[in-house]
Amino acid sequence: MIDRDQVLWEIRAFIFSHFVDSTRPPSVRAIAQHFRLSEAEAYGLMVELHNRHAIYLDLEARHIRMANPFSGVPTAFHTIANGRSYTANCAWDSFGIAAALHCDAQIDARCADTGEPLALGVRDGQAIAGQELAHFLVPFRHWYDDLPRT
Amino acid sequence: MLFFRSEDAVDRWCARNGMARGESLTITQLWELSKRWYHNRISPDYHGRTLSEIVTIFEEIGLTSPFWQPPKA
């Protein structure tokens, strides 16, 4: 018998640690093996984390799509930090990765309107930017209606 | 959330994609939001935050318009 709540949060920590170390999400199998669970048990706990908004699963692919600020799928947002290239979910999470890792970062950014590259980043705890903007399309009250769109 | 060169670029993109305009943050505001939102995200002790805590974060960086108000209970 497992202590479900304790293992739940240990799995969350394992997922984030895996992203930090490898830039990628762990598979259901990797989580199951690490915690000596069946894959069904591991996935059940991952779904519980999804329902608590701790991670976001692709429920059809049974894959971690988001563990904000990290993305488990390819996107147009990349943050280079600590010698690794992380995939972010959006403009905000591009900076979120630098904030989560507490380090300098180079943000691989483009203007969504023109496609021109933007020189953004973080150095010595300060944002590097000119007049660029981040545009939030969806009001906060609707963020969790459709998180990938947000 | 997307990056833009300018407010004009936001307007053009919204018009071209048939989207109602949302709200823009400067990169300095975005970084301040990121620090408050994500500074403890990879800690094993982070188990989420309350709506009240979220609203406080928004208020700390001046995000007080209806756009940033929480869902009604």
Side-chain angles (χ1 to χ4, degrees):
Chain A
M1 196 66 167
I2 62 172
D3 180 336
R4 191 174 177 86
D5 211 51
Q6 179 180 340
V7 174
L8 184 73
W9 296 109
E10 288 179 358
I11 288 176
R12 180 203 175 275
F14 177 76
I15 290 168
F16 277 78
S17 178
H18 196 283
F19 265 108
V20 170
D21 293 342
S22 73
T23 76
R24 304 293 305 152
S27 65
V28 177
R29 175 173 295 182
I31 292 171
Q33 289 176 343
H34 184 85
F35 289 94
R36 299 184 179 182
L37 301 169
S38 70
E39 288 192 31
E41 288 172 326
Y43 188 67
L45 288 161
M46 292 166 68
V47 169
E48 190 163 339
L49 286 169
H50 168 91
N51 291 335
R52 296 191 190 196
H53 297 163
I55 60 173
Y56 187 93
L57 295 175
D58 179 332
L59 294 170
E60 290 186 6
R62 296 166 66 93
H63 179 86
I64 298 169
R65 178 164 177 171
M66 294 188 271
N68 298 74
F70 304 104
S71 173
V73 297
T75 74
F77 302 94
H78 302 282
T79 299
I80 299 167
N82 290 338
R84 298 184 176 93
S85 180
Y86 293 96
T87 306
N89 297 293
C90 61
W92 178 10
D93 284 353
S94 299
F95 278 90
I97 287 172
L101 298 177
H102 299 272
C103 67
D104 291 354
Q106 175 187 332
I107 310 293
D108 182 7
R110 290 182 178 274
C111 174
D113 180 51
T114 64
E116 65 185 305
L118 306 174
L120 304 177
V122 175
R123 186 183 305 140
D124 298 331
Q126 302 294 319
I128 302 167
Q131 301 302 309
E132 296 87 353
L133 302 165
H135 182 254
F136 287 66
L137 197 60
V138 180
F140 171 55
R141 63 185 175 278
H142 293 306
W143 282 4
Y144 295 99
D145 296 352
D146 182 358
L147 199 56
R149 180 174 176 272
T150 298
Chain B
M1 303 87 173
L2 299 171
F3 288 119
F4 291 90
R5 168 68 76 192
S6 64
E7 292 287 3
D8 287 346
V10 176
D11 289 337
R12 282 194 302 269
W13 184 89
C14 287
R16 191 166 66 248
N17 290 281
M19 301 282 193
R21 194 186 163 96
E23 288 216 356
S24 297
L25 271 61
T26 66
I27 298 301
T28 298
Q29 280 180 301
L30 184 70
W31 176 232
E32 291 303 319
L33 177 61
S34 297
K35 286 190 290 184
R36 286 165 172 77
W37 197 270
Y38 284 124
H39 73 98
N40 58 348
R41 187 58 62 101
I42 60 177
S43 166
D45 297 327
Y46 179 83
H47 292 183
R49 58 169 66 90
T50 66
L51 275 178
S52 173
E53 290 168 334
I54 291 172
V55 170
T56 297
I57 289 173
F58 291 157
E59 288 176 349
E60 283 174 352
I61 56 171
L63 304 178
T64 56
S65 75
F67 187 91
W68 302 100
Q69 296 307 304
K72 290 176 182 165

mmCIF file of all heavy atoms in Angstrom, chain A residues 114-130:
data_model
loop_
_atom_site.group_PDB
_atom_site.id
_atom_site.type_symbol
_atom_site.label_atom_id
_atom_site.label_comp_id
_atom_site.label_asym_id
_atom_site.label_seq_id
_atom_site.Cartn_x
_atom_site.Cartn_y
_atom_site.Cartn_z
ATOM 1 N N THR A 114 5.864 39.938 -37.037
ATOM 2 C CA THR A 114 6.777 40.042 -38.176
ATOM 3 C C THR A 114 7.758 38.887 -38.286
ATOM 4 O O THR A 114 8.378 38.698 -39.333
ATOM 5 C CB THR A 114 7.606 41.340 -38.063
ATOM 6 O OG1 THR A 114 8.425 41.248 -36.884
ATOM 7 C CG2 THR A 114 6.698 42.561 -37.960
ATOM 8 N N GLY A 115 7.925 38.134 -37.227
ATOM 9 C CA GLY A 115 8.897 37.044 -37.227
ATOM 10 C C GLY A 115 10.327 37.486 -36.982
ATOM 11 O O GLY A 115 11.239 36.656 -36.950
ATOM 12 N N GLU A 116 10.543 38.785 -36.826
ATOM 13 C CA GLU A 116 11.914 39.260 -36.623
ATOM 14 C C GLU A 116 12.428 38.825 -35.251
ATOM 15 O O GLU A 116 11.674 38.782 -34.268
ATOM 16 C CB GLU A 116 11.989 40.779 -36.750
ATOM 17 C CG GLU A 116 11.226 41.514 -35.684
ATOM 18 C CD GLU A 116 11.216 43.018 -35.915
ATOM 19 O OE1 GLU A 116 12.307 43.582 -36.037
ATOM 20 O OE2 GLU A 116 10.117 43.600 -35.964
ATOM 21 N N PRO A 117 13.710 38.473 -35.174
ATOM 22 C CA PRO A 117 14.268 38.051 -33.883
ATOM 23 C C PRO A 117 14.332 39.205 -32.891
ATOM 24 O O PRO A 117 14.543 40.364 -33.285
ATOM 25 C CB PRO A 117 15.677 37.555 -34.243
ATOM 26 C CG PRO A 117 15.977 38.127 -35.571
ATOM 27 C CD PRO A 117 14.683 38.399 -36.272
ATOM 28 N N LEU A 118 14.129 38.890 -31.635
ATOM 29 C CA LEU A 118 14.177 39.880 -30.555
ATOM 30 C C LEU A 118 15.287 39.482 -29.591
ATOM 31 O O LEU A 118 15.427 38.312 -29.245
ATOM 32 C CB LEU A 118 12.841 39.927 -29.805
ATOM 33 C CG LEU A 118 11.593 40.163 -30.661
ATOM 34 C CD1 LEU A 118 10.331 40.024 -29.801
ATOM 35 C CD2 LEU A 118 11.636 41.523 -31.331
ATOM 36 N N ALA A 119 16.070 40.466 -29.200
ATOM 37 C CA ALA A 119 17.212 40.191 -28.307
ATOM 38 C C ALA A 119 16.760 40.306 -26.857
ATOM 39 O O ALA A 119 16.776 41.394 -26.274
ATOM 40 C CB ALA A 119 18.346 41.171 -28.601
ATOM 41 N N LEU A 120 16.341 39.188 -26.271
ATOM 42 C CA LEU A 120 15.830 39.185 -24.901
ATOM 43 C C LEU A 120 16.633 38.204 -24.053
ATOM 44 O O LEU A 120 17.186 37.230 -24.568
ATOM 45 C CB LEU A 120 14.354 38.777 -24.883
ATOM 46 C CG LEU A 120 13.391 39.599 -25.747
ATOM 47 C CD1 LEU A 120 11.990 39.014 -25.665
ATOM 48 C CD2 LEU A 120 13.394 41.056 -25.333
ATOM 49 N N GLY A 121 16.648 38.463 -22.772
ATOM 50 C CA GLY A 121 17.344 37.551 -21.891
ATOM 51 C C GLY A 121 17.333 38.047 -20.460
ATOM 52 O O GLY A 121 16.623 39.005 -20.120
ATOM 53 N N VAL A 122 18.107 37.376 -19.643
ATOM 54 C CA VAL A 122 18.258 37.748 -18.229
ATOM 55 C C VAL A 122 19.748 37.726 -17.907
ATOM 56 O O VAL A 122 20.451 36.773 -18.264
ATOM 57 C CB VAL A 122 17.519 36.745 -17.311
ATOM 58 C CG1 VAL A 122 17.777 37.065 -15.847
ATOM 59 C CG2 VAL A 122 16.028 36.743 -17.610
ATOM 60 N N ARG A 123 20.220 38.788 -17.286
ATOM 61 C CA ARG A 123 21.624 38.839 -16.876
ATOM 62 C C ARG A 123 21.710 39.494 -15.510
ATOM 63 O O ARG A 123 21.140 40.574 -15.297
ATOM 64 C CB ARG A 123 22.462 39.618 -17.887
ATOM 65 C CG ARG A 123 23.982 39.566 -17.582
ATOM 66 C CD ARG A 123 24.789 40.408 -18.551
ATOM 67 N NE ARG A 123 24.529 40.022 -19.916
ATOM 68 C CZ ARG A 123 24.399 40.896 -20.941
ATOM 69 N NH1 ARG A 123 24.503 42.180 -20.717
ATOM 70 N NH2 ARG A 123 24.157 40.464 -22.152
ATOM 71 N N ASP A 124 22.389 38.828 -14.591
ATOM 72 C CA ASP A 124 22.578 39.336 -13.230
ATOM 73 C C ASP A 124 21.239 39.733 -12.586
ATOM 74 O O ASP A 124 21.133 40.768 -11.917
ATOM 75 C CB ASP A 124 23.527 40.536 -13.242
ATOM 76 C CG ASP A 124 24.911 40.163 -13.739
ATOM 77 O OD1 ASP A 124 25.306 38.994 -13.552
ATOM 78 O OD2 ASP A 124 25.578 41.022 -14.334
ATOM 79 N N GLY A 125 20.224 38.917 -12.830
ATOM 80 C CA GLY A 125 18.933 39.144 -12.195
ATOM 81 C C GLY A 125 18.068 40.209 -12.826
ATOM 82 O O GLY A 125 16.994 40.529 -12.301
ATOM 83 N N GLN A 126 18.520 40.765 -13.954
ATOM 84 C CA GLN A 126 17.743 41.812 -14.629
ATOM 85 C C GLN A 126 17.338 41.345 -16.026
ATOM 86 O O GLN A 126 18.115 40.649 -16.691
ATOM 87 C CB GLN A 126 18.581 43.099 -14.771
ATOM 88 C CG GLN A 126 19.088 43.649 -13.450
ATOM 89 C CD GLN A 126 17.966 44.146 -12.535
ATOM 90 O OE1 GLN A 126 17.023 44.764 -12.999
ATOM 91 N NE2 GLN A 126 18.075 43.862 -11.254
ATOM 92 N N ALA A 127 16.153 41.764 -16.446
ATOM 93 C CA ALA A 127 15.704 41.431 -17.800
ATOM 94 C C ALA A 127 16.450 42.290 -18.809
ATOM 95 O O ALA A 127 16.653 43.491 -18.597
ATOM 96 C CB ALA A 127 14.208 41.666 -17.930
ATOM 97 N N ILE A 128 16.867 41.663 -19.908
ATOM 98 C CA ILE A 128 17.491 42.378 -21.019
ATOM 99 C C ILE A 128 16.409 42.565 -22.073
ATOM 100 O O ILE A 128 15.869 41.595 -22.603
ATOM 101 C CB ILE A 128 18.652 41.573 -21.617
ATOM 102 C CG1 ILE A 128 19.703 41.262 -20.556
ATOM 103 C CG2 ILE A 128 19.262 42.314 -22.800
ATOM 104 C CD1 ILE A 128 20.701 40.212 -20.998
ATOM 105 N N ALA A 129 16.089 43.827 -22.355
ATOM 106 C CA ALA A 129 15.029 44.087 -23.324
ATOM 107 C C ALA A 129 15.055 45.547 -23.734
ATOM 108 O O ALA A 129 15.660 46.385 -23.053
ATOM 109 C CB ALA A 129 13.664 43.747 -22.728
ATOM 110 N N GLY A 130 14.379 45.837 -24.831
ATOM 111 C CA GLY A 130 14.182 47.206 -25.261
ATOM 112 C C GLY A 130 12.728 47.584 -25.048
ATOM 113 O O GLY A 130 12.246 47.591 -23.906
#
